[in-house]
Amino acid sequence: MLFDVWAPDARKVTLHVSDGPGAVPVSVPMAPSPVRSGWWEAEAPAGDGSRYGFAVDDGPVLPDPRSRRQPEGPDGPSAVVDQDAHVWRRPWRGRPLAGAVLYELHVGTFTREGTFAAAEEHLGHLARLGVTHIELMPVCPFPGRHGWGYDGVAPWAVHEPYGGPAGLKRFVDAAHGHGLGVVLDVVHNHLGPAGNHLPAFGPYFTDRHRTPWGPAVNLDGPGSDEVRAYFIGSALAFLRDHRLDGLRLDAVHALADDRAEHFLAELSEAVDTLAATTGRPLFLVAESDRNDPRTTTPRSAGGLGLHAQWNDDFHHALHTALTGESHGYYADFARDPLGALATTTTDAFFHAGTWSSFRGRRHGLPLRRPGAPPVAAHRFLAYAQTHDQIGNRALGDRLAAGVPTGALACAAALVLLGPGTPLLFMGEEWGARTPWQYFTDHTDPELAEAVRRGRRREFAAHGWEADDVPDPQDPATRDRSCLDWAERDRPGHRRLLDWYRTLTGLRHARPQLARAVLGDARVERGDGARERWLLVHNAPLYTAVNLAPDRPATLRLPSRHTTLLAAWSDATHLAGDVLELPPLSAAVLT
């Protein structure tokens, strides 16, 4: 078997390989590649499960930067993976993003067991819910057993406690059997603070740029061709070898790149090429706070060519309308929540060259511009809750912990029947009351204490007592964050779940919703502080919500021939073109 590794500054590299765990490794000198500058190669007997690592200039034996499996954690030896060992049982042609309903899922807390195998047991629930794609939070290896996944340090491998690469393949295969696509959240902007061995091999990071996590990934300095190929290769490997349907790219605004062709454009071109080769629709969804139209503009028109992006502006508008919160980045949205909600429903971005008090400057650009082609609305993901917006609260409290069930029903209607692509966070479909808190399992005591202090310091600035902020390192913090599946079948929760299923059914029954264009939707709203209703016309559906907690709303509809399709409250009444909507309720009409 041929082993290779990029180590451009090394004087010598030695391969250490053994038959498996506990076997005595054999040392094999590696030679410079005759065709690839900076690469080292060696042949050695090995097969699926063989353990190996590399020593650079007689240093410690380290795992392969391109390791596909780390059975003993990020600091242990790598293991050879036979990618053809898994026999795929379900043929799969893929599912495109247009028309999708995504469901964000954290493997470690979706079930108490926290494994791919345990998550498989609930795939039928997701299919019946009307979900089309599962969006897995990061699954690359990190120290310890439990964590959010954003401190991964082996971008080609899969966290062993979840089930490793074989477990992920079985999960994807099972999901496809239920008609569900699978999207993976990947992190290219940094590696975690422990177990990152890439600097020992080459210039993977640079001090030319700084990020919130330290030196930036080297995307534009000397040696950056190989670094870019490293992360693009990782993305393609997951899409190809695990038959994933798409990737969610974490915080792309932290990818510092001054080259003429941005890393994201190079990545999107590679993914489009792979899609053409495989005959499956593949897509990239960015997390970006720039409100930059170029993120989703096609490469042929000078954009980065990503297929979609999360739209935090819609979330912020909806959150302020539901909760009345006005601190931090919510301040601009809270001045007129219904107006902000109307804007983000029709045009996606609220900050489109407008003043952002949180940033102290103008922010963003409009997506719709004179002379520019129409913008597909499905390119912007709409959501009421995500891991970020729940887990980055001091107590990890969900919407269900602070707003009435009727308000949750209104939020579901606006998300699931609006122009954007809906994204749900696990458990929201039944109004889960379990929190989703920030938890870690760092094995380095100093790092663990630093994370603990940092979390408490962050929220002390907002008036929280240290003892009230959950300890990320306490196993109980993770345990509290696990879904309580028994909760789903309790009366109030079951009713909300049925409402979600009704809404997804209405969406899927009207495929024209997937072809919506930004600006086509129309929104009417109540006037004044007490008239808190919205009427969203996303043809052919009308979605009416009344967010007032104590007074009904009377809405005049455009036609006397409107049909009521679904209503949260039995007290909803339609007579001709007049809709009577009780407090904290929603209705769908056509």
Side-chain angles (χ1 to χ4, degrees):
M1 179 176 179
L2 177 66
F3 292 85
D4 58 4
V5 66
W6 182 60
D9 299 323
R11 296 183 301 276
K12 62 181 291 191
V13 180
T14 305
L15 166 69
H16 295 258
V17 60
S18 69
D19 291 337
V24 177
V26 175
S27 300
V28 181
M30 303 186 76
S33 168
V35 294
R36 294 188 296 170
S37 176
W39 283 81
W40 298 74
E41 300 176 347
E43 293 270 1
D48 188 62
S50 295
R51 304 299 201 257
Y52 72 100
F54 303 110
V56 177
D57 294 332
D58 296 323
V61 179
L62 300 175
D64 183 359
R66 285 172 169 75
S67 171
R68 307 305 296 273
R69 185 181 172 211
Q70 290 297 119
E72 300 171 33
D75 294 318
S78 300
V80 174
V81 175
D82 180 0
Q83 298 297 340
D84 297 324
H86 178 82
V87 178
W88 294 92
R89 295 179 294 164
R90 284 93 172 180
W92 183 248
R93 293 186 175 182
R95 295 194 74 160
L97 181 64
V101 175
L102 278 69
Y103 186 94
E104 190 183 23
L105 183 160
H106 178 262
V107 176
T109 50
F110 188 59
T111 64
R112 186 68 57 177
E113 297 85 350
T115 64
F116 293 122
E120 282 182 40
E121 300 299 316
H122 298 287
L123 291 174
H125 163 81
L126 299 182
R128 291 188 296 272
L129 174 60
V131 166
T132 64
H133 295 76
I134 299 162
E135 183 178 301
L136 296 175
M137 288 177 61
V139 300
C140 292
F142 53 86
R145 177 175 178 81
H146 296 301
W148 280 20
Y150 294 94
D151 284 336
V153 291
W156 289 62
V158 179
H159 195 48
E160 198 72 14
Y162 290 167
L168 176 57
K169 287 182 180 179
R170 288 191 294 268
F171 178 84
V172 172
D173 207 1
H176 289 168
H178 286 273
L180 300 167
V182 181
V183 180
L184 178 63
D185 193 339
V186 296
V187 183
H188 293 158
N189 52 57
H190 76 288
L191 270 69
N196 174 17
H197 301 292
L198 292 186
F201 288 92
Y204 283 90
F205 298 89
T206 176
D207 287 322
R208 294 178 62 246
H209 306 288
R210 301 291 296 182
T211 74
W213 308 281
V217 172
N218 177 23
L219 299 175
D220 57 6
S224 60
D225 285 358
E226 290 289 356
V227 177
R228 291 160 76 105
Y230 174 81
F231 285 103
I232 291 173
S234 164
L236 298 180
F238 273 111
L239 293 168
R240 180 186 61 245
D241 298 335
H242 293 87
R243 293 197 181 182
L244 296 175
D245 298 274
L247 301 174
R248 184 258 193 190
L249 309 177
D250 179 67
V252 300
H253 47 269
L255 295 169
D257 183 5
D258 290 335
R259 288 171 61 157
E261 181 183 36
H262 196 279
F263 166 77
L264 291 173
E266 189 176 349
L267 173 62
S268 70
E269 182 177 14
V271 169
D272 287 346
T273 300
L274 180 62
T277 301
T278 61
R280 292 188 291 121
L282 304 174
F283 55 84
L284 298 171
V285 180
E287 179 198 21
S288 173
D289 75 350
R290 285 182 174 157
N291 285 23
D292 185 351
R294 290 172 294 185
T295 302
T296 55
T297 297
R299 295 185 304 279
S300 59
L304 299 177
L306 302 184
H307 307 92
Q309 74 159 82
W310 279 27
N311 183 15
D312 273 354
D313 280 11
F314 176 85
H315 167 273
H316 298 346
L318 180 56
H319 187 87
T320 56
L322 295 173
T323 68
E325 292 183 15
S326 60
H327 58 277
Y329 49 66
Y330 290 131
D332 292 335
F333 301 86
R335 292 191 180 96
D336 179 11
L338 294 188
L341 194 47
T343 297
T344 54
T345 297
T346 59
D347 290 291
F349 292 164
F350 176 77
H351 288 301
T354 55
W355 175 258
S356 165
S357 62
F358 176 70
R359 298 172 178 85
R361 59 172 174 80
R362 290 184 296 109
H363 184 64
L365 287 172
L367 286 159
R368 292 194 293 145
R369 289 159 289 171
V375 179
H378 80 264
R379 292 181 179 272
F380 301 90
L381 272 59
Y383 37 87
Q385 303 180 75
T386 68
H387 79 272
D388 266 334
Q389 303 302 339
I390 300 171
N392 286 325
R393 298 171 69 84
L395 301 181
D397 48 316
R398 296 168 178 261
L399 278 176
V403 303
T405 306
L408 300 179
C410 292
L414 293 170
V415 167
L416 285 166
L417 299 180
T421 294
L423 170 72
L424 312 179
F425 182 69
M426 61 178 196
E428 83 165 73
E429 69 272 23
W430 71 75
R433 298 296 179 91
T434 47
W436 202 76
Q437 299 176 335
Y438 179 67
F439 53 90
T440 56
D441 190 21
H442 293 300
T443 54
D444 180 342
E446 291 186 8
L447 177 58
E449 181 58 27
V451 169
R452 183 182 293 114
R453 288 197 309 268
R455 183 75 173 175
R456 289 173 172 169
R457 188 185 311 115
E458 174 186 356
F459 288 101
H462 299 285
W464 289 86
E465 295 293 334
D467 291 343
D468 293 334
V469 179
D471 179 359
Q473 284 287 123
D474 185 345
T477 304
R478 177 263 172 184
D479 293 344
R480 283 191 297 270
S481 301
C482 293
L483 284 178
D484 175 8
W485 283 89
E487 187 181 43
R488 174 186 56 166
D489 296 319
R490 295 171 191 149
H493 298 283
R494 171 60 66 176
R495 182 185 176 209
L496 186 61
L497 176 58
D498 289 342
W499 176 246
Y500 269 80
R501 288 173 175 165
T502 296
L503 296 176
T504 57
L506 290 171
R507 184 176 188 91
H508 292 317
R510 289 158 181 81
Q512 60 266 52
L513 295 179
R515 299 189 291 272
V517 172
L518 283 186
D520 281 356
R522 295 291 179 265
V523 181
E524 298 178 38
R525 49 173 290 201
D527 293 325
R530 301 194 66 193
E531 295 289 338
R532 304 191 69 241
W533 58 264
L534 282 177
L535 179 64
V536 178
H537 182 205
N538 185 30
L541 297 180
Y542 288 91
T543 301
V545 300
N546 181 13
L547 298 179
D550 55 1
R551 60 181 292 159
T554 301
L555 285 70
R556 181 75 64 176
L557 303 173
S559 170
R560 297 182 58 85
H561 304 288
T562 306
T563 301
L564 183 64
L565 298 177
W568 172 253
S569 170
D570 292 338
T572 301
H573 181 66
L574 175 65
D577 62 348
V578 177
L579 176 69
E580 297 287 344
L581 203 56
L584 294 179
S585 66
V588 186
L589 311 99
T590 190

